[in-house]
Amino acid sequence: MDHNMPGMNMTPPAAAGAPANHGNMAMTHMTFYWGKNSEILFSGWPGTRTGMYVLVLILVFIVSVLAEWLSNCRLSRSGSKSVSAGIVQTISYAIRVGLAYLLMLAVMSFNVGVLIVAIVGHAVGFLVFTSRVFRDSYDSDKISGVHTRLAC
């Protein structure tokens, strides 16, 4: 008689705060934690190396700023109805959504550092590309009737 029934795992639970380890497959944290020893987006990355963890934080920051830029950037002329303008707009949207999903997955690592860096990156992107702090030249163009903006 086979006693290894599916769903009947008899191994003891992992220590509090530590990821569970079933054989060679490490499970991710299910609560927020602070530390550089983590896996974010890829198996074994950044691992336990401090430099790689810092690189992850820098990349998450850049991707969140880039997602904000793509959210607020018009790469085609306002009112343009050409097929090429629609394709550029669609590609820009697809890239933005893909970056947003990658950010969501990175934050789902439950690493507090990644969460903070993602929020700060979105905030900096909003400040630079959306807020009125850097909008003087665009607002004067809008008042004068010019509605073309190729760069953000």
Side-chain angles (χ1 to χ4, degrees):
M1 185 159 117
D2 186 15
H3 294 288
N4 294 329
M5 297 175 64
M8 299 298 289
N9 188 357
M10 301 304 287
T11 58
N21 188 0
H22 298 285
N24 291 334
M25 192 167 78
M27 301 298 286
T28 59
H29 285 267
M30 296 309 291
T31 58
F32 280 106
Y33 69 97
W34 189 273
K36 66 176 180 62
N37 300 339
S38 58
E39 287 188 352
I40 301 167
L41 294 178
F42 303 105
S43 179
W45 192 64
T48 59
R49 298 173 304 236
T50 304
M52 293 304 285
Y53 181 69
V54 171
L55 178 64
V56 165
L57 295 180
I58 291 169
L59 289 175
V60 167
F61 179 82
I62 290 170
V63 168
S64 59
V65 170
L66 185 60
E68 284 296 321
W69 176 72
L70 287 171
S71 296
N72 297 295
C73 187
R74 293 185 187 104
L75 297 175
S76 62
R77 292 180 186 188
S78 171
S80 177
K81 296 185 187 210
S82 69
V83 173
S84 62
I87 290 172
V88 167
Q89 194 175 21
T90 302
I91 290 171
S92 171
Y93 176 79
I95 292 170
R96 182 179 63 88
V97 169
L99 292 175
Y101 277 124
L102 281 175
L103 284 170
M104 177 194 65
L105 290 172
V107 169
M108 285 177 59
S109 70
F110 291 100
N111 186 295
V112 175
V114 172
L115 173 67
I116 290 171
V117 167
I119 291 170
V120 169
H122 278 291
V124 168
F126 180 85
L127 176 71
V128 173
F129 303 118
T130 305
S131 72
R132 295 179 184 193
V133 173
F134 301 106
R135 290 290 175 137
D136 293 338
S137 64
Y138 176 66
D139 287 340
S140 64
D141 289 344
K142 192 174 180 182
I143 292 169
S144 67
V146 177
H147 295 291
T148 302
R149 204 172 82 176
L150 297 177
C152 293

